[in-house]
Amino acid sequence: VRSLWDDHDARAFASDPLALRVYTSRLIGQDPSLVLHGGGNTSVKAKAPDLFGDVHDAVWVKGSGWDLASIERAGFAPLRLDVVRRMADLHSLTDARMVEMLRAALLDPNAPNPSVEAILHAVIPFAFVDHTHADAVVTITNTPKGVERIGEIYGNRIFIVPYVMPGFILAKEVYGMTKDIDWAEVEGIILLNHGVFTFGDDARTSYERMIQVVTEAEDYLGTHAALAADDEDGADAVTIRDDDLVELARIRRAVAKSAGTPLIAALDSSPLHVAFSLRGDAGKIAARGPLTPDHVIRTKRTAFVVGKDLDAGIERYAKDYRAYFDRNREGDITALDPAPRWVVWPGRGTIALGRTLVDATIARDIVAHTVPAIARAELLGGWQALPEDDVFDVEYWDLEQAKLKRAPAPAEHAGRVAIVTGAASGIGRATVEAFLKAGACVAALDIAGEVLSLWEDARVAAFVCDVTDATALDYAIENAVRRFGGIDAVVSNAGTFPMSARIAELKDDVWRKSLAVNLDAHRLLLQKTIRFLEAGLEPAVVFIASKNVPAPGKGAAAYSVAKAGLTQLARVAALELAPAGIRVNVLHPNDVFDTAIWTPEVIAARAREYGLSVEAYKTKNLLGREVTSADVARLAVALTGRLFAVTTGAQIPVDGGNDRVV
């Protein structure tokens, strides 16, 4: 690591301690080797007024739920320093009571809940305090001679604290151990198997002490446990073949089945992870525990290693997890699902899983730091994580159990992956939006380049794709699976509406293009996604056909015939794919005027033909209501969900009621 301190930037905050605290907190948060996804915490002590204007000594501590990389002033909770310090003198304190007392000590009732390390920050007698879970330091402490090595690196400059549970217990331990020390001779505290505290009476000192402590640990690892693959990290070490992607989808399905909920899967096939996956002892060392105990919330205590019998292996993992729970449980606590959250896939790398893309990404990033840490620790005498009971205490911490009870129910399609074609406009775009609202990840395909810039949402993988091009489809489908782990729903929507022409005047190229886009491309998409749908979670396909199937119009032979063929394709697919649990249904929209084919000029011309106003023309159905892309999209998404879980082979009109169809 290196110092990111900039005198020019810092000068702007020189007279404002909290602004300086925000500045250096963000410097720390920018480096994932120090903290990951909300990890770590920082504080500053200064004067602050209460609601009556009375000034108190205060400590601002990072609030729960805030990330150091992007924290703002509002992310720090101001507490009365004397009250928080007195809490360290208490003989005992439950986690729930600690949270209550910290909230009672707030000088701002609208502030977030303070970090559980607030008491520890208060008892450290310096203005600025920084706490990280630096990879290099924790790697060294997670070895048989970790304490000796820390002493070798830092001498007496660093105070060493054996691992204890975070929160009040840790604060009480440090408070008792440091009562008689000369703080002027101490530059930091290392909490074994947990992390690092540094401090100073100015922001720069505390921050740069952190950088120095971590740099010395990194230098030690560079000398004693260098990894040759480090400088290649991120490059492809293996070629992930088509069959591998299908296997990835199967692994995702097996883990999700064990979890009892859909999951997103993120693959890491970089050289370091592939090398780790090929180790003969990978299963053994990945079962020793996480890099730091707080990671268990995201990754579970151990990894799952893929073997010859995937389902049997997952079943064994679940059985072992339940036994781990039974061995360590105390009191009335709720067991978490028994499925793994990271997987070692021999010869292919590692897989991280989560109920949402955010969860999977956090797990992937933690695994990305855990793998090199394990490899380096093995070079230092062996990876030695905390005993399982300590890890269990964090996984089933009262505060984490309370979060579970408060958590809202997941969105219906959370953890699921959909493909939508014709996604840049009209029904396709509305369907992408509806899937996102329902919690899904989406591969959005369209021939128009604008599809790439429509969504600033990591849950959307957008591809410029001509759906009649088999190679382009392969690329989009395979990369969607690489990114999300599988495919669960397909909404085959892309189409074209040729110029009206009676059969006598119908040109060959118009006929062929309509068949190519409105029929052949749908068959091609289905063929290429079947193998992934077979490994999908509650898999479903929705074809967007047309009212012209049950009620064709003159001059629309090319369109009507293609859509009729598409409908027949869907009926046969429903018959063929039902044994694999894949549902196939059809929607027949009509007069959806907010799509690209219905320009204002076309609508006005058609209204004149009927002798109607534009508004009357748009609502010329039995219900007298305009049909929108969003109407079609909501039903398309619903057809892939639980509401229609036992429906396949259905054809549903979305037309406001048409007297020719009814």
Side-chain angles (χ1 to χ4, degrees), residues 3-52:
S3 174
L4 301 176
W5 179 276
D6 184 286
D7 284 330
H8 179 270
D9 291 342
R11 197 174 297 121
F13 313 123
S15 61
D16 186 342
L18 183 55
L20 270 175
R21 178 68 287 172
V22 171
Y23 171 64
T24 54
S25 296
R26 288 186 172 189
L27 299 185
I28 290 170
Q30 290 176 37
D31 192 332
S33 69
L34 297 177
V35 293
L36 283 171
H37 300 289
N41 39 71
T42 57
S43 67
V44 61
K45 300 177 183 75
K47 300 287 186 180
D50 62 18
L51 295 175
F52 299 100

Side-chain angles (χ1 to χ4, degrees), residues 599-654:
T599 64
E601 294 76 17
V602 170
I603 295 172
R606 295 298 295 273
R608 285 194 298 271
E609 289 180 21
Y610 280 84
L612 299 171
S613 68
V614 168
E615 181 60 29
Y617 177 71
K618 286 184 175 181
T619 57
K620 62 175 182 61
N621 53 54
L622 297 179
L623 294 176
R625 295 175 56 180
E626 183 177 349
V627 180
T628 67
S629 294
D631 294 323
V632 183
R634 282 192 294 270
L635 186 49
V637 172
L639 275 171
T640 69
R642 291 188 293 269
L643 186 62
F644 290 90
V646 292
T647 300
T648 193
Q651 299 180 50
I652 305 174
V654 193

Side-chain angles (χ1 to χ4, degrees), residues 42 93 115 124 141 173 192 216 314 380 394 541 548 553 649 652:
T42 57
L93 190 63
S115 163
I124 294 176
T141 67
E173 182 75 10
L192 298 181
E216 290 179 62
I314 290 290
L380 289 178
V394 176
V541 179
N548 280 31
I652 305 174

Side-chain angles (χ1 to χ4, degrees), residues 412-413 416 420 426-438 491 493 542 544 587 589 592 594 625-644 652-654:
E412 180 180 359
H413 291 274
R416 300 187 73 224
V420 179
I427 293 170
R429 182 172 180 177
T431 302
V432 174
E433 300 287 355
F435 268 122
L436 291 175
K437 187 175 181 180
V491 177
N493 163 71
V542 176
I544 306 299
L587 292 182
V592 183
D594 59 343
R625 295 175 56 180
E626 183 177 349
V627 180
T628 67
S629 294
D631 294 323
V632 183
R634 282 192 294 270
L635 186 49
V637 172
L639 275 171
T640 69
R642 291 188 293 269
L643 186 62
F644 290 90
I652 305 174
V654 193

Side-chain angles (χ1 to χ4, degrees), residues 200-219:
D201 282 327
D202 63 87
R204 183 170 189 171
T205 297
S206 183
Y207 168 68
E208 293 198 331
R209 279 180 171 176
M210 179 64 69
I211 299 304
Q212 180 62 30
V213 168
V214 178
T215 297
E216 290 179 62
E218 290 180 337
D219 290 344

Side-chain angles (χ1 to χ4, degrees), residues 423-425 429 433 446 448-457 460 462:
S425 63
R429 182 172 180 177
E433 300 287 355
D446 201 288
E450 65 190 84
V451 73
L452 299 177
S453 58
L454 290 177
W455 296 280
E456 293 183 2
D457 190 322
V460 178

